[in-house]
């Protein structure tokens, strides 16, 4: 399992009105205007290592999952602080502090997602291994079937 971090980018090129027009801004409950915004681009990737062999009493090839790498690294983390707030001002400092809290919540959630993915894979006893291979026609079928099994697990 690969869980890494990307640097957080702090942008100050937009004003309050522009932030209000951005995606996710529509989730405000009407109690105030958007003062800052944190956007995290999520990414879930995985790479399967497929091993092939010949069955003892079967003429068809067998395949099993030799390795699995799951990547839960966020694609990008961007914090927006409106340009109306001078860097170092009370408003700037408070907006940035608040948005960093959103970033921390996301990163903790990512760690929890990684733990849950590990548990889900451990529970997936039906995933193939060397001792429990799949009978397949060829490597293309093996990769397709094993990818489906991994997606079902995660």
């Amino acid at each position: 399992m690969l869980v890494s971090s990307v640097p957080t980018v702090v942008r100050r090129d937009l004003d309050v009105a522009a932030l209000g027009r951005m995606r996710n801004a529509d989730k405000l409950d009407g109690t105030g205007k958007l003062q800052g915004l944190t956007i995290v681009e999520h990414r879930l990737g995985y790479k399967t290592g497929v091993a092939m062999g010949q069955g003892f009493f079967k003429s068809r090839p067998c395949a099993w999952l030799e390795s699995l790498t799951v990547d839960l690294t966020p694609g990008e983390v961007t914090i927006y602080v409106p340009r109306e707030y001078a860097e170092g001002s009370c408003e700037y400092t408070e907006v940035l502090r608040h948005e960093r809290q959103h970033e921390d919540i996301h990163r903790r959630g990512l760690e929890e997602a990684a733990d849950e993915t590990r548990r889900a894979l451990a529970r997936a006893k039906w995933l193939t291994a060397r001792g429990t291979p799949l009978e397949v026609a060829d490597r293309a079928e093996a990769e397709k079937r094993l990818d489906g099994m991994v997606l079902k697990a995660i």
Side-chain angles (χ1 to χ4, degrees), residues 116 118-126:
E116 179 53 36
R118 282 186 195 97
R119 288 189 296 273
L121 289 168
R123 287 189 306 265
K125 302 299 183 197
W126 40 265

mmCIF file of all heavy atoms in Angstrom, residues 116 118-126:
data_model
loop_
_atom_site.group_PDB
_atom_site.id
_atom_site.type_symbol
_atom_site.label_atom_id
_atom_site.label_comp_id
_atom_site.label_asym_id
_atom_site.label_seq_id
_atom_site.Cartn_x
_atom_site.Cartn_y
_atom_site.Cartn_z
ATOM 1 N N GLU A 116 -8.556 0.994 6.130
ATOM 2 C CA GLU A 116 -9.740 0.224 5.735
ATOM 3 C C GLU A 116 -9.456 -0.603 4.483
ATOM 4 O O GLU A 116 -9.906 -1.740 4.368
ATOM 5 C CB GLU A 116 -10.936 1.146 5.502
ATOM 6 C CG GLU A 116 -12.194 0.424 5.061
ATOM 7 C CD GLU A 116 -12.614 -0.734 5.963
ATOM 8 O OE1 GLU A 116 -12.444 -0.655 7.192
ATOM 9 O OE2 GLU A 116 -13.120 -1.750 5.414
ATOM 10 N N ARG A 118 -6.529 -1.844 3.630
ATOM 11 C CA ARG A 118 -5.711 -2.984 4.094
ATOM 12 C C ARG A 118 -6.602 -4.063 4.716
ATOM 13 O O ARG A 118 -6.438 -5.251 4.439
ATOM 14 C CB ARG A 118 -4.684 -2.518 5.122
ATOM 15 C CG ARG A 118 -3.502 -1.836 4.552
ATOM 16 C CD ARG A 118 -2.445 -1.537 5.645
ATOM 17 N NE ARG A 118 -1.493 -0.592 5.152
ATOM 18 C CZ ARG A 118 -1.531 0.721 5.376
ATOM 19 N NH1 ARG A 118 -2.478 1.242 6.122
ATOM 20 N NH2 ARG A 118 -0.618 1.524 4.870
ATOM 21 N N ARG A 119 -7.550 -3.636 5.560
ATOM 22 C CA ARG A 119 -8.443 -4.607 6.204
ATOM 23 C C ARG A 119 -9.314 -5.308 5.160
ATOM 24 O O ARG A 119 -9.523 -6.526 5.233
ATOM 25 C CB ARG A 119 -9.311 -3.928 7.259
ATOM 26 C CG ARG A 119 -8.553 -3.527 8.520
ATOM 27 C CD ARG A 119 -9.465 -3.054 9.641
ATOM 28 N NE ARG A 119 -10.198 -1.844 9.337
ATOM 29 C CZ ARG A 119 -9.741 -0.609 9.536
ATOM 30 N NH1 ARG A 119 -8.537 -0.425 10.042
ATOM 31 N NH2 ARG A 119 -10.480 0.443 9.246
ATOM 32 N N ALA A 120 -9.818 -4.560 4.186
ATOM 33 C CA ALA A 120 -10.668 -5.157 3.146
ATOM 34 C C ALA A 120 -9.882 -6.185 2.337
ATOM 35 O O ALA A 120 -10.406 -7.271 2.032
ATOM 36 C CB ALA A 120 -11.218 -4.069 2.228
ATOM 37 N N LEU A 121 -8.654 -5.880 2.011
ATOM 38 C CA LEU A 121 -7.836 -6.841 1.258
ATOM 39 C C LEU A 121 -7.522 -8.073 2.102
ATOM 40 O O LEU A 121 -7.516 -9.194 1.592
ATOM 41 C CB LEU A 121 -6.553 -6.177 0.767
ATOM 42 C CG LEU A 121 -6.743 -5.158 -0.358
ATOM 43 C CD1 LEU A 121 -5.472 -4.345 -0.576
ATOM 44 C CD2 LEU A 121 -7.173 -5.852 -1.646
ATOM 45 N N ALA A 122 -7.284 -7.879 3.392
ATOM 46 C CA ALA A 122 -7.009 -9.022 4.283
ATOM 47 C C ALA A 122 -8.240 -9.915 4.418
ATOM 48 O O ALA A 122 -8.119 -11.138 4.544
ATOM 49 C CB ALA A 122 -6.553 -8.527 5.652
ATOM 50 N N ARG A 123 -9.439 -9.300 4.396
ATOM 51 C CA ARG A 123 -10.678 -10.080 4.504
ATOM 52 C C ARG A 123 -11.028 -10.794 3.202
ATOM 53 O O ARG A 123 -11.832 -11.719 3.203
ATOM 54 C CB ARG A 123 -11.851 -9.175 4.879
ATOM 55 C CG ARG A 123 -11.857 -8.694 6.304
ATOM 56 C CD ARG A 123 -13.166 -7.987 6.656
ATOM 57 N NE ARG A 123 -13.517 -6.908 5.750
ATOM 58 C CZ ARG A 123 -13.240 -5.615 5.947
ATOM 59 N NH1 ARG A 123 -12.606 -5.236 7.030
ATOM 60 N NH2 ARG A 123 -13.607 -4.704 5.069
ATOM 61 N N ALA A 124 -10.469 -10.358 2.107
ATOM 62 C CA ALA A 124 -10.821 -10.907 0.793
ATOM 63 C C ALA A 124 -10.086 -12.225 0.565
ATOM 64 O O ALA A 124 -9.185 -12.321 -0.267
ATOM 65 C CB ALA A 124 -10.505 -9.888 -0.302
ATOM 66 N N LYS A 125 -10.478 -13.235 1.283
ATOM 67 C CA LYS A 125 -9.824 -14.552 1.203
ATOM 68 C C LYS A 125 -9.989 -15.190 -0.167
ATOM 69 O O LYS A 125 -9.271 -16.116 -0.525
ATOM 70 C CB LYS A 125 -10.374 -15.493 2.282
ATOM 71 C CG LYS A 125 -10.215 -14.970 3.696
ATOM 72 C CD LYS A 125 -8.785 -14.771 4.065
ATOM 73 C CE LYS A 125 -8.650 -14.318 5.507
ATOM 74 N NZ LYS A 125 -7.370 -13.752 5.799
ATOM 75 N N TRP A 126 -10.930 -14.686 -0.948
ATOM 76 C CA TRP A 126 -11.185 -15.225 -2.275
ATOM 77 C C TRP A 126 -10.229 -14.683 -3.326
ATOM 78 O O TRP A 126 -10.239 -15.132 -4.466
ATOM 79 C CB TRP A 126 -12.634 -14.944 -2.690
ATOM 80 C CG TRP A 126 -13.102 -13.583 -2.294
ATOM 81 C CD1 TRP A 126 -13.790 -13.254 -1.170
ATOM 82 C CD2 TRP A 126 -12.867 -12.355 -2.979
ATOM 83 N NE1 TRP A 126 -14.011 -11.903 -1.113
ATOM 84 C CE2 TRP A 126 -13.457 -11.329 -2.222
ATOM 85 C CE3 TRP A 126 -12.232 -12.023 -4.170
ATOM 86 C CZ2 TRP A 126 -13.419 -10.004 -2.613
ATOM 87 C CZ3 TRP A 126 -12.200 -10.698 -4.550
ATOM 88 C CH2 TRP A 126 -12.792 -9.715 -3.781
#
